[in-house]
Amino acid sequence: MMKRIQLVLMTALLLVGWATAWAAKVDKSFNIKVGNKTRKYRLYVPNNVQDNTALVFCLHGTGGSSDMKQPNFDAIANEDGVIVVYGHGENVKFPFFGNMELPGWNSTGEWSGDIDYLLAVIEDVASKYSIDRNRIYCCGFSNGGMMTYTVANLLADKFAAFASISGYPINEFHLHHTGARPVPFLHIHGTNDDLVKSAYVSKIIDNIVARNGCNPVPETTTKSGKFTKKVYPAGEGGFPIVFYSMNGMGHSAETSNTEEGNASKTMWNYMKQYTLDSPCDPTLKWRPCIEQEGWTPKSHGWTINSGTTICSFGKEQNTSSNANVYPSLQFIEGDYRLTFNAVGDAGKQVTVQLKRLAGQKDVVFKESVEVGENRAIEFHIPDAWAEFNIAFTKEDAADNIEITNIEIHSCNTDEAAISDVQRSTSNVQRVFNLSGMRTEHPARGINIINGKKIVVK
């Protein structure tokens, strides 16, 4: 009998110890001053929190709160010793909901008080705990997922990787993806989502795949009755993009049908692979890979081989019929370099035009180059943000010309100086001359003159 009592006591002590080990050290709300406003966030710190640990932001949907914990990362924090912030949005007027004011996020892709809030929360948490600033992550549900896209656009130098469930920019919001670098991103969406409609999510994925320079032909895995998973392999200088289409799932913050049996765990397993030190090319702004075997650019918003048009991308907005989601080519203010190959009839000319799609709809540049490899044009965008059409045309519809290896890179000196090593791509090597003097690439015969124009000899 005594031995049995001792065994029971020992078991009870072990259970108490186990429960204590996995209990939250902190699970409460904090107030924080952001400008002239007082805002709050909920902090979850596990009992086994690690020094120099990762920090994960979870952003709720419209009408939600930090107490709802969407997506819920408590169990992940307990398992991996990471800190979780559950953000709390202010009241936002949502035209989509009849101009109702509901707690949510200004997920416009532009700077707002919500961005200031996230930065302030990082500093507040860092004042309390030891965090690894190279391992800060952002994920969200619904409007919180929309905000996650905005964070990826504006704070790619602060957050290492991103994930969204049931949320991408729609209606009054719009996908701005012109950030400081390519970003790792995972998206989960239900096939039966009729609020943030599943019908449009593929265009969002297309845009971010091209922004990262990924292979647009995904590696696809299907689990019958559960999901179709598409992994878009990273190209040079970018990151892989992952998209889960969940069979039968509606507008939800959770699903048990991913490989891990938990959507939050799936998002975390993807995000935690990356840090701000993960190598990438911050100058890479767009690589559509239209020549990729097995991909049909025409079905992804491109005009291909139509009269004298060899290829063209970027069309007018039509928000009344497409929820403000469409194929889009975007740039912010800065200097850029377009490179491409024009393969075909020798001696023929190709005209390249970049045209703004809103406002005055003016032509940024219109240049003609001779058919050949390693064609290059530099251009300047004066706008804070704008959308564009790019078109490659030929003189005669009968000319046999194909455009391949299209890439656009930033050639701003601040981004060029991020790496001391020379970056290269499959179609042209770039040599950055930060002094603005003439630089010659001996192997390619490419001249950079005062950072304004590349002449292909």
Side-chain angles (χ1 to χ4, degrees), residues 170-171 200 203 316-327:
I170 57 170
N171 299 299
Y200 300 123
K203 290 183 174 62
E316 297 280 346
Q317 300 180 16
N318 187 11
T319 57
S320 61
S321 64
N322 61 11
N324 205 10
V325 180
Y326 47 87

Side-chain angles (χ1 to χ4, degrees), residues 205-399:
I205 300 300
D206 277 352
N207 285 340
I208 199 169
V209 162
R211 173 64 182 86
N212 269 269
C214 297
N215 184 335
V217 180
E219 299 168 355
T220 303
T221 304
T222 299
K223 295 291 184 183
S224 181
K226 291 190 173 182
F227 64 80
T228 298
K229 175 185 178 183
K230 295 183 178 181
V231 178
Y232 297 85
E236 184 177 1
F239 295 103
I241 302 300
V242 178
F243 171 45
Y244 280 86
S245 180
M246 308 304 299
N247 292 0
M249 188 178 98
H251 191 69
S252 176
E254 300 176 355
T255 176
S256 60
N257 282 344
T258 62
E259 290 133 320
E260 292 83 358
N262 179 285
S264 294
K265 185 69 172 178
T266 298
M267 290 189 281
W268 174 237
N269 283 351
Y270 174 80
M271 292 190 295
K272 71 180 182 180
Q273 299 175 82
Y274 305 102
T275 75
L276 284 179
D277 290 331
S278 296
C280 71
D281 181 355
T283 72
L284 176 62
K285 301 304 173 187
W286 194 58
R287 185 194 294 137
C289 301
I290 62 173
E291 70 280 3
Q292 180 65 45
E293 185 177 353
W295 196 62
T296 54
K298 193 172 182 179
S299 64
H300 293 266
W302 285 79
T303 298
I304 301 291
N305 295 327
S306 177
T308 58
T309 298
I310 306 169
C311 58
S312 174
F313 182 81
K315 297 180 180 178
E316 297 280 346
Q317 300 180 16
N318 187 11
T319 57
S320 61
S321 64
N322 61 11
N324 205 10
V325 180
Y326 47 87
S328 180
L329 175 60
Q330 308 174 7
F331 301 106
I332 58 175
E333 190 278 330
D335 296 311
Y336 297 87
R337 181 178 299 111
L338 163 69
T339 58
F340 61 95
N341 290 344
V343 181
D345 296 340
K348 297 291 185 177
Q349 294 283 313
V350 171
T351 298
V352 189
Q353 176 179 282
L354 187 72
K355 182 180 180 180
R356 193 173 280 98
L357 285 175
Q360 296 180 353
K361 300 184 180 181
D362 55 312
V363 173
V364 178
F365 70 81
K366 186 174 183 179
E367 303 257 355
S368 294
V369 298
E370 189 173 318
V371 167
E373 295 186 351
N374 307 324
R375 308 295 87 176
I377 297 169
E378 287 200 350
F379 60 95
H380 176 74
I381 300 296
D383 308 82
W385 177 83
E387 295 182 286
F388 301 87
N389 166 267
I390 189 168
F392 297 80
T393 59
K394 51 191 176 182
E395 295 174 299
D396 191 314
D399 291 345

Side-chain angles (χ1 to χ4, degrees), residues 69-147:
K69 297 188 174 182
Q70 294 174 326
N72 194 307
F73 267 59
D74 285 5
I76 290 166
N78 291 339
E79 184 176 344
D80 286 3
V82 302
I83 298 174
V84 181
V85 166
Y86 294 103
H88 192 95
E90 293 186 295
N91 279 357
V92 176
K93 184 179 290 186
F94 289 92
F96 182 70
F97 293 112
N99 286 327
M100 289 180 63
E101 287 196 0
L102 298 165
W105 308 97
N106 288 290
S107 51
T108 61
E110 299 175 343
W111 202 281
S112 71
D114 285 336
I115 295 296
D116 293 328
Y117 162 76
L118 295 176
L119 292 174
V121 171
I122 291 174
E123 297 308 318
D124 199 51
V125 175
S127 72
K128 297 177 174 70
Y129 298 96
S130 171
I131 64 169
D132 183 350
R133 289 180 181 267
N134 283 327
R135 294 190 297 141
I136 303 177
Y137 305 95
C138 186
C139 64
F141 160 63
S142 190
N143 180 230
M146 300 176 192
M147 188 63 191

